[in-house]
Amino acid sequence: MTTTTDSTTVQGAVGSSRTRVEGRDKVTGAARYAGEIPFAELAHGWLVLSTVARGRIRSVEDAPVRSMPGVLTVLHHGNAPRIDTDYTGMLGRPNPVVGLFQHDRVPFVGWPVALIVAETSEQAREAAEALVVRYDEEPHDVEFLAGHAGAYTPDGSDAETEKGDLEARLRAAAFVVDEEYSTPEEHHNSMEPHAATARWEGGRLDVVDSNQGTFWVSSELASLFSLDPGSVRVRSEHVGGGFGSKGLAPHQVAAVMATTLLHRPVRVVLTRRQMFSLVGYRSPTAQRITLGAGPDGRLSAFDHRALSLTSTVHEFIESSANVGRTMYDADAHHTRHQVVRLDVPTPTWMRAPGEAPGSFAVESALDELAERSGIDPVELRARNEPAAGPVSGLPFSRRNLRACLEEGARRFGWAERDPRPGLRREGRWLLGTGMAAASFPAGVGPSTAAVTAEPDGTYTVRINAADIGTGARTAMASVAADALRTDPERIRVRLGDSDLGPAWIAGGSMGTRSWAWAVRLAADELRELLALGGSVPPEGLTTRADTSDAIGAMAQKERHSYGAQFAETAVDVTTGEVRVRRLLGIFAAGTVVNPLTARSQLVGGMTWGISMALHEEAVRDRASGGYVNADLAGYHVAAHADVPHVEADWVDDHDPEDPVGIKGIGEIGIVGVAAAIANAVWHATGVRHRRLPIRPDRVLAAEEARPGAEGASGA
């Protein structure tokens, strides 16, 4: 087995490390983001959000505000234009939060109740803070609890899977693990806040936005405002992170409403605090894992029951129980999702939705099984490799998890580990190591692309990709260059414009694979045309590709990226401090187009895993229904001092079903990290932490609750 590294000899542009083509513009400030682009006569909108968790708006006392300096208009449910939310878009029904000002109901704290538009953002903010909104408040419920009386199993075939007699297999099992695990509410907090500027130009609605798919957002706006899709253009050239949160949201709708009314460009930018309630988040989870295994550690029973929350106005399921459906098989295999409706904002997709919290529970439980059976955690996972999809029964397209486990164990020095907990000490620190396996679906979405041979010998690639900070331009240039047998420097890439045609979003680790497939097909056809001879006409020679038919014809298989995460932690049980000393991830994620940016993606995901394990936790006040820590002062994320030596690498894993061999790397980096760290904390202290984050107070409480130095108790 060989690993792909920067020093590996590579043929062509794909697989070679290249700095991002827009990198200089970004570090010098030449690259302008959605909230920075100037427009003549630009007005500024500021959203006013509800201060009650449930009730009705009694009155919006906007008369005093309308007379304030610079104020141009105040929109609310009493005067806003009607829009249509009764449609099914590219990713399903729209979240009703985008149906701005259509009624007087308030379903959660932070629900938009008004929009102030003024000449400057300062004037709009001042007026927004002065606006008086009165409510008829109603009792609310925002408390998420395991066993909540309102929990229900959602409709749909994906909610529950079942095969075999679970109780019988558990009775016959040599080893049983039956534990509960929980993860908190977490938020995306991309560096660039959500921002949109809307204007009418030449009879078309033009929106400059920060999003993860311009064609997606343009089609949603067309449906909301009952417009012809061709009359809506959305541009998103540079995006400062998204992680699942940058789709359709209230700020775009507000900007369109205001520009239609005022006949001038209007910009709406969300504040950090507003982002906590308006653009989604990761639901908290309460998960119960029950495992039964024989003396050899092979699973005979697997049961994963996952509870998450959603809002009262829109159903979203955090699919945490999906992990075991593809990772581990058993004769009796049960999974179930349940959800509870609360008076809170609607959650949404957040980096590795489902897999990130689900892997914490599953991989922690596997570690507990390894402890009880006396089998090495790496070996235990290798013994439980399924021959086919545990639930689907479908064949795996390419399952390289074992290679990740073996290479990770070798690189980490796992063989030198003493499995007994609480033995290694360095001064005041107890040291431990832990590991976890990881997987994430390798999907692909239909996309269109065009490639043009220009008269000057260069090429232009047009693909409606969204570069959310991952280096999409650079990757597409490399893919096109290899297909055209030319140098990437001769390739120009245009993206982030709905006028370029339909393409898949930057989400679900599907962006690069979906776009590269279309670019490769178009470039292959162009190369064949050019090989026939003749000169390039003055307007250029263009070929186009649409991958819809090719993707629709793919055979059904289990397609996934895989990984193995290894962590070393140091724990001070007198202060409760936990430090991650080193973190290694080895991945099987298909052909890596650009090792430089790929490694950055993986390390970024792993760093987020450190945050998930030790820091991130949104706290909601039961009395008010609002957040206690809706800012980056109270909502903690890993800082530089928290990030140790993080190493990410990969094994050879070319996917023969993909024209470029790609699977996807955006999500897989975070999966399994929290479990690996929690397992390392157990190895250091002998105490299990089944509730994230592993805060100092929880470490201290767990230490105090220990029955003895040699015993292990849950926390």
Side-chain angles (χ1 to χ4, degrees), residues 439-478:
S439 74
F440 194 81
V444 60
S447 298
T448 61
V451 181
T452 300
E454 307 289 356
D456 62 0
T458 63
Y459 302 87
T460 302
V461 172
R462 294 173 177 84
I463 175 76
N464 194 11
D467 195 335
I468 59 174
T470 56
R473 293 173 178 82
T474 312
M476 294 306 104
S478 293

Short mmCIF file of all heavy atoms in Angstrom, two decimals, residues 439-478:
data_model
loop_
_atom_site.label_atom_id
_atom_site.label_comp_id
_atom_site.label_asym_id
_atom_site.label_seq_id
_atom_site.Cartn_x
_atom_site.Cartn_y
_atom_site.Cartn_z
N SER A 439 -16.50 7.75 7.79
CA SER A 439 -16.99 7.61 6.42
C SER A 439 -17.92 8.77 6.10
O SER A 439 -18.49 9.39 6.99
CB SER A 439 -17.75 6.28 6.23
OG SER A 439 -19.03 6.34 6.84
N PHE A 440 -18.05 9.05 4.81
CA PHE A 440 -19.02 10.04 4.34
C PHE A 440 -19.40 9.68 2.92
O PHE A 440 -18.55 9.28 2.13
CB PHE A 440 -18.46 11.46 4.39
CG PHE A 440 -19.53 12.51 4.23
CD1 PHE A 440 -20.31 12.89 5.31
CD2 PHE A 440 -19.79 13.09 3.00
CE1 PHE A 440 -21.33 13.82 5.18
CE2 PHE A 440 -20.79 14.03 2.85
CZ PHE A 440 -21.57 14.40 3.94
N PRO A 441 -20.69 9.81 2.56
CA PRO A 441 -21.12 9.43 1.21
C PRO A 441 -20.37 10.18 0.12
O PRO A 441 -20.07 11.37 0.25
CB PRO A 441 -22.61 9.79 1.19
CG PRO A 441 -23.02 9.77 2.63
CD PRO A 441 -21.82 10.24 3.40
N ALA A 442 -20.06 9.47 -0.95
CA ALA A 442 -19.41 10.06 -2.12
C ALA A 442 -20.46 10.21 -3.21
O ALA A 442 -20.67 9.30 -4.02
CB ALA A 442 -18.25 9.19 -2.59
N GLY A 443 -21.13 11.35 -3.22
CA GLY A 443 -22.21 11.57 -4.17
C GLY A 443 -21.76 12.43 -5.34
O GLY A 443 -20.65 12.96 -5.38
N VAL A 444 -22.66 12.58 -6.29
CA VAL A 444 -22.40 13.42 -7.44
C VAL A 444 -23.74 13.94 -7.94
O VAL A 444 -24.75 13.23 -7.91
CB VAL A 444 -21.65 12.64 -8.56
CG1 VAL A 444 -22.47 11.45 -9.04
CG2 VAL A 444 -21.26 13.55 -9.71
N GLY A 445 -23.77 15.21 -8.38
CA GLY A 445 -25.00 15.81 -8.86
C GLY A 445 -24.85 16.25 -10.30
O GLY A 445 -23.75 16.57 -10.77
N PRO A 446 -25.95 16.29 -11.04
CA PRO A 446 -25.89 16.70 -12.45
C PRO A 446 -25.45 18.14 -12.60
O PRO A 446 -25.84 19.01 -11.83
CB PRO A 446 -27.33 16.50 -12.94
CG PRO A 446 -28.17 16.56 -11.70
CD PRO A 446 -27.32 15.98 -10.61
N SER A 447 -24.61 18.38 -13.61
CA SER A 447 -24.07 19.72 -13.86
C SER A 447 -23.85 19.92 -15.34
O SER A 447 -23.71 18.96 -16.11
CB SER A 447 -22.74 19.92 -13.11
OG SER A 447 -22.91 19.82 -11.72
N THR A 448 -23.82 21.18 -15.73
CA THR A 448 -23.47 21.54 -17.11
C THR A 448 -22.19 22.35 -17.10
O THR A 448 -21.87 23.04 -16.11
CB THR A 448 -24.59 22.36 -17.76
OG1 THR A 448 -24.79 23.58 -17.02
CG2 THR A 448 -25.89 21.58 -17.80
N ALA A 449 -21.45 22.29 -18.18
CA ALA A 449 -20.21 23.05 -18.30
C ALA A 449 -19.97 23.36 -19.77
O ALA A 449 -20.45 22.65 -20.67
CB ALA A 449 -19.02 22.28 -17.73
N ALA A 450 -19.23 24.42 -20.01
CA ALA A 450 -18.80 24.79 -21.37
C ALA A 450 -17.32 25.11 -21.35
O ALA A 450 -16.82 25.73 -20.40
CB ALA A 450 -19.60 26.00 -21.87
N VAL A 451 -16.61 24.67 -22.38
CA VAL A 451 -15.18 24.95 -22.51
C VAL A 451 -14.94 25.55 -23.89
O VAL A 451 -15.40 25.00 -24.91
CB VAL A 451 -14.32 23.69 -22.32
CG1 VAL A 451 -12.85 24.04 -22.43
CG2 VAL A 451 -14.62 23.04 -20.97
N THR A 452 -14.25 26.69 -23.93
CA THR A 452 -14.02 27.41 -25.18
C THR A 452 -12.54 27.50 -25.48
O THR A 452 -11.74 27.87 -24.60
CB THR A 452 -14.60 28.83 -25.09
OG1 THR A 452 -16.01 28.75 -24.84
CG2 THR A 452 -14.36 29.61 -26.37
N ALA A 453 -12.17 27.15 -26.70
CA ALA A 453 -10.81 27.41 -27.19
C ALA A 453 -10.80 28.82 -27.78
O ALA A 453 -11.56 29.12 -28.71
CB ALA A 453 -10.43 26.38 -28.25
N GLU A 454 -9.97 29.68 -27.21
CA GLU A 454 -9.91 31.07 -27.65
C GLU A 454 -8.88 31.23 -28.78
O GLU A 454 -7.93 30.44 -28.88
CB GLU A 454 -9.53 31.99 -26.47
CG GLU A 454 -10.41 31.83 -25.24
CD GLU A 454 -11.82 32.37 -25.43
OE1 GLU A 454 -12.11 32.94 -26.51
OE2 GLU A 454 -12.64 32.21 -24.50
N PRO A 455 -9.04 32.25 -29.61
CA PRO A 455 -8.10 32.45 -30.73
C PRO A 455 -6.65 32.67 -30.27
O PRO A 455 -5.72 32.41 -31.04
CB PRO A 455 -8.65 33.69 -31.43
CG PRO A 455 -10.10 33.74 -31.06
CD PRO A 455 -10.16 33.19 -29.66
N ASP A 456 -6.45 33.17 -29.05
CA ASP A 456 -5.08 33.45 -28.59
C ASP A 456 -4.39 32.23 -28.01
O ASP A 456 -3.29 32.33 -27.45
CB ASP A 456 -5.09 34.59 -27.57
CG ASP A 456 -5.89 34.24 -26.31
OD1 ASP A 456 -6.45 33.12 -26.23
OD2 ASP A 456 -5.96 35.09 -25.41
N GLY A 457 -5.03 31.06 -28.11
CA GLY A 457 -4.41 29.84 -27.61
C GLY A 457 -4.73 29.50 -26.17
O GLY A 457 -4.23 28.50 -25.64
N THR A 458 -5.54 30.31 -25.54
CA THR A 458 -5.97 30.01 -24.17
C THR A 458 -7.35 29.34 -24.22
O THR A 458 -7.96 29.19 -25.28
CB THR A 458 -6.04 31.28 -23.31
OG1 THR A 458 -7.04 32.16 -23.87
CG2 THR A 458 -4.70 31.98 -23.28
N TYR A 459 -7.83 28.95 -23.04
CA TYR A 459 -9.12 28.28 -22.93
C TYR A 459 -9.92 28.90 -21.80
O TYR A 459 -9.35 29.33 -20.78
CB TYR A 459 -8.94 26.79 -22.65
CG TYR A 459 -8.12 26.06 -23.70
CD1 TYR A 459 -6.73 26.00 -23.60
CD2 TYR A 459 -8.73 25.43 -24.78
CE1 TYR A 459 -5.97 25.34 -24.55
CE2 TYR A 459 -7.98 24.76 -25.74
CZ TYR A 459 -6.60 24.72 -25.62
OH TYR A 459 -5.85 24.07 -26.56
N THR A 460 -11.23 28.95 -21.99
CA THR A 460 -12.12 29.46 -20.95
C THR A 460 -13.08 28.35 -20.53
O THR A 460 -13.76 27.76 -21.38
CB THR A 460 -12.92 30.68 -21.43
OG1 THR A 460 -12.03 31.71 -21.84
CG2 THR A 460 -13.82 31.20 -20.31
N VAL A 461 -13.11 28.07 -19.23
CA VAL A 461 -14.03 27.10 -18.67
C VAL A 461 -15.16 27.85 -18.00
O VAL A 461 -14.92 28.76 -17.19
CB VAL A 461 -13.32 26.19 -17.64
CG1 VAL A 461 -14.33 25.31 -16.91
CG2 VAL A 461 -12.27 25.34 -18.32
N ARG A 462 -16.39 27.50 -18.34
CA ARG A 462 -17.57 28.09 -17.71
C ARG A 462 -18.33 26.99 -16.98
O ARG A 462 -18.89 26.10 -17.62
CB ARG A 462 -18.45 28.79 -18.74
CG ARG A 462 -17.79 30.01 -19.40
CD ARG A 462 -18.63 30.56 -20.54
NE ARG A 462 -18.04 31.77 -21.12
CZ ARG A 462 -17.08 31.75 -22.05
NH1 ARG A 462 -16.62 30.59 -22.50
NH2 ARG A 462 -16.59 32.87 -22.51
N ILE A 463 -18.32 27.07 -15.67
CA ILE A 463 -19.00 26.08 -14.84
C ILE A 463 -19.57 26.81 -13.64
O ILE A 463 -18.85 27.56 -12.95
CB ILE A 463 -18.03 24.94 -14.40
CG1 ILE A 463 -18.70 23.98 -13.44
CG2 ILE A 463 -16.75 25.50 -13.79
CD1 ILE A 463 -19.66 23.02 -14.07
N ASN A 464 -20.84 26.62 -13.37
CA ASN A 464 -21.47 27.38 -12.29
C ASN A 464 -21.16 26.76 -10.93
O ASN A 464 -22.05 26.42 -10.16
CB ASN A 464 -22.97 27.48 -12.52
CG ASN A 464 -23.61 28.53 -11.63
OD1 ASN A 464 -22.92 29.33 -10.99
ND2 ASN A 464 -24.92 28.52 -11.56
N ALA A 465 -19.87 26.62 -10.66
CA ALA A 465 -19.41 26.13 -9.36
C ALA A 465 -19.46 27.27 -8.35
O ALA A 465 -19.54 28.44 -8.71
CB ALA A 465 -17.98 25.60 -9.49
N ALA A 466 -19.40 26.90 -7.09
CA ALA A 466 -19.31 27.89 -6.00
C ALA A 466 -18.01 27.66 -5.26
O ALA A 466 -17.81 26.59 -4.68
CB ALA A 466 -20.50 27.73 -5.05
N ASP A 467 -17.12 28.64 -5.33
CA ASP A 467 -15.85 28.52 -4.61
C ASP A 467 -16.03 29.10 -3.22
O ASP A 467 -15.92 30.31 -3.02
CB ASP A 467 -14.74 29.24 -5.37
CG ASP A 467 -13.36 28.84 -4.86
OD1 ASP A 467 -13.26 28.42 -3.68
OD2 ASP A 467 -12.39 28.93 -5.62
N ILE A 468 -16.31 28.25 -2.26
CA ILE A 468 -16.58 28.71 -0.90
C ILE A 468 -15.32 28.75 -0.04
O ILE A 468 -15.38 28.70 1.19
CB ILE A 468 -17.67 27.86 -0.22
CG1 ILE A 468 -17.27 26.40 -0.15
CG2 ILE A 468 -18.98 28.01 -0.98
CD1 ILE A 468 -18.26 25.55 0.63
N GLY A 469 -14.18 28.85 -0.73
CA GLY A 469 -12.90 28.90 -0.03
C GLY A 469 -12.07 27.66 -0.22
O GLY A 469 -10.99 27.53 0.37
N THR A 470 -12.54 26.73 -1.05
CA THR A 470 -11.87 25.44 -1.21
C THR A 470 -10.92 25.37 -2.40
O THR A 470 -10.23 24.37 -2.58
CB THR A 470 -12.92 24.32 -1.35
OG1 THR A 470 -13.79 24.65 -2.45
CG2 THR A 470 -13.75 24.21 -0.09
N GLY A 471 -10.93 26.39 -3.25
CA GLY A 471 -10.05 26.39 -4.42
C GLY A 471 -10.67 25.76 -5.64
O GLY A 471 -9.99 25.08 -6.42
N ALA A 472 -11.96 25.98 -5.87
CA ALA A 472 -12.65 25.36 -7.00
C ALA A 472 -12.07 25.82 -8.34
O ALA A 472 -11.96 25.03 -9.28
CB ALA A 472 -14.14 25.68 -6.95
N ARG A 473 -11.71 27.10 -8.45
CA ARG A 473 -11.15 27.59 -9.71
C ARG A 473 -9.88 26.82 -10.07
O ARG A 473 -9.69 26.40 -11.22
CB ARG A 473 -10.80 29.08 -9.60
CG ARG A 473 -11.99 30.01 -9.46
CD ARG A 473 -11.49 31.42 -9.19
NE ARG A 473 -12.58 32.38 -9.08
CZ ARG A 473 -13.28 32.58 -7.97
NH1 ARG A 473 -13.00 31.86 -6.88
NH2 ARG A 473 -14.25 33.47 -7.93
N THR A 474 -9.02 26.65 -9.09
CA THR A 474 -7.75 25.98 -9.32
C THR A 474 -7.97 24.53 -9.69
O THR A 474 -7.31 23.99 -10.59
CB THR A 474 -6.87 26.09 -8.06
OG1 THR A 474 -6.87 27.45 -7.61
CG2 THR A 474 -5.45 25.65 -8.34
N ALA A 475 -8.90 23.87 -9.01
CA ALA A 475 -9.18 22.46 -9.30
C ALA A 475 -9.74 22.29 -10.71
O ALA A 475 -9.33 21.39 -11.46
CB ALA A 475 -10.16 21.90 -8.27
N MET A 476 -10.68 23.15 -11.11
CA MET A 476 -11.26 23.02 -12.44
C MET A 476 -10.24 23.32 -13.53
O MET A 476 -10.27 22.72 -14.61
CB MET A 476 -12.47 23.95 -12.58
CG MET A 476 -13.65 23.59 -11.69
SD MET A 476 -14.22 21.88 -11.86
CE MET A 476 -13.56 21.16 -10.34
N ALA A 477 -9.33 24.25 -13.26
CA ALA A 477 -8.27 24.54 -14.24
C ALA A 477 -7.38 23.31 -14.43
O ALA A 477 -6.98 22.99 -15.56
CB ALA A 477 -7.44 25.73 -13.77
N SER A 478 -7.08 22.61 -13.36
CA SER A 478 -6.24 21.40 -13.47
C SER A 478 -6.96 20.31 -14.23
O SER A 478 -6.36 19.63 -15.08
CB SER A 478 -5.86 20.91 -12.07
OG SER A 478 -5.01 21.82 -11.42
#
